[in-house]
Amino acid sequence: MSPPRCAHPCDECGLRRNPAFLPVTAEEVRTIESFRSGTRVVEAGRPVIEEQRASAYLFTLYSGWAFRYKTLSDGRRQILSFLLPGDFIGLQDEFADGETHGVEAVTGVTLCAFDRDKLWDLFHSHPKLGYDITWLAAREEKMVDDNLVTAGRRNASERVAMLLMHLYRRAERVGMVRDGWAEFPFNQQHIADALGLSLVHTNKTLRRLQHLGLHKLDNGWLRIMEPHALERLGDYFERPMRPTPVI
């Protein structure tokens, strides 16, 4: 993979002007800038991190959609989590003892890249930013926990309802909803791989919920028509999303 290229400075970062993210001091911006190696652009369908190969970089997703996944030896794929702007990517490899996950771009994405070898220096020299990284890792662990509950205990309709609400609310939080429509670049295989359903079952469930008037999917955009009904069906229990750190 080619080394990252330099782009705009961190104090011009559009994410830092988004109320979804916590403000940082000028000193913290300078520290993040010194930690950053540059930016990378990845086309839709291409790997950000290749599965089972260590990456020299950590990333913050700046724009677009991606997902983390693991693949079994027979090719079956499990999507572990979906990634939106502001998400910190690749920290799991720091503690991996064996085969690691992959990250794939769903749309074209732009990422800020950070040298993995500088991570300890960042924790040592600026504990507040180290805590922010730990907080982001714990937040992602919580989302994986929620996905485990979904896959283990919810039925097909509840799984799909939960996923639609979860992704819509996350997209809404970072300003990716326009006139009630959220960008939704996922096909039915993505949904099936995230929820542990067959493709046929996923198709039938999406059609059933849309027939009930709970949501609409149209050319890569999602609209929630009956949010309270969809939340009740999916037992959607996410509390209001508070501002989060962004590295």
Side-chain angles (χ1 to χ4, degrees):
M1 181 178 290
S2 60
R5 60 180 178 82
C6 291
H8 57 76
C10 289
D11 59 3
E12 296 179 7
C13 174
L15 294 181
R16 302 193 189 283
R17 296 190 292 271
N18 189 321
F21 302 106
L22 291 171
V24 292
T25 66
E27 179 187 357
E28 288 170 337
V29 170
R30 289 193 295 270
T31 301
I32 293 170
E33 183 101 58
S34 67
F35 179 37
R36 193 181 71 155
S37 302
T39 60
R40 175 171 289 129
V41 176
V42 179
E43 296 178 355
R46 301 295 298 169
V48 174
I49 296 175
E50 295 188 45
E51 194 174 15
Q52 302 179 21
R53 292 187 61 182
S55 171
Y57 300 101
L58 304 163
F59 300 97
T60 291
L61 183 58
Y62 183 75
S63 65
W65 289 83
F67 62 86
R68 292 197 311 117
Y69 69 95
K70 291 198 75 169
T71 307
L72 298 179
S73 58
D74 62 3
R76 286 176 293 167
R77 180 180 68 182
Q78 177 67 48
I79 290 180
L80 304 171
S81 61
F82 292 98
L83 303 167
L84 286 86
D87 287 345
F88 195 63
I89 302 171
L91 192 63
Q92 292 85 353
D93 281 358
E94 194 70 20
F95 311 100
D97 186 18
E99 297 176 351
T100 57
H101 66 273
V103 176
E104 182 177 309
V106 184
T107 64
V109 300
T110 303
L111 307 112
C112 295
F114 305 91
D115 282 321
R116 183 180 297 277
D117 290 343
K118 294 181 179 179
L119 182 63
W120 172 244
D121 289 340
L122 179 70
F123 272 76
H124 181 72
S125 64
H126 210 298
K128 167 62 168 57
L129 291 176
Y131 176 83
D132 287 346
I133 291 174
T134 304
W135 193 97
L136 290 169
R139 173 176 172 263
E140 181 159 1
E141 181 181 4
K142 176 191 177 298
M143 287 191 285
V144 172
D145 289 348
D146 292 343
N147 292 343
L148 179 60
V149 173
T150 293
R153 290 301 175 190
R154 289 183 169 93
N155 63 34
S157 294
E158 293 166 344
R159 293 184 200 187
V160 172
M162 176 65 180
L163 182 66
L164 294 179
M165 287 305 310
H166 172 71
L167 293 179
Y168 185 90
R169 292 302 187 206
R170 289 186 65 199
E172 184 178 48
R173 171 183 164 272
V174 295
M176 297 173 68
V177 172
R178 304 174 189 170
D179 298 324
W181 291 87
E183 183 183 19
F184 196 82
F186 311 106
N187 58 38
Q188 293 185 8
Q189 190 65 63
H190 289 124
I191 297 172
D193 289 350
L195 297 178
L197 298 172
S198 70
L199 194 56
V200 171
H201 207 169
T202 299
N203 177 273
K204 289 181 178 179
T205 304
L206 283 167
R207 289 170 58 190
R208 183 184 309 119
L209 297 185
Q210 184 151 314
H211 180 72
L212 292 172
L214 302 186
H215 76 281
K216 285 185 179 179
L217 283 171
D218 185 17
N219 293 321
W221 291 86
L222 167 68
R223 187 181 184 95
I224 303 297
M225 307 302 295
E226 295 289 345
H228 298 303
L230 207 59
E231 286 173 354
R232 287 195 300 271
L233 174 61
D235 195 14
Y236 179 76
F237 48 80
E238 186 68 65
R239 284 174 281 183
M241 297 182 183
R242 61 179 178 173
T244 62
V246 61
I247 301 301

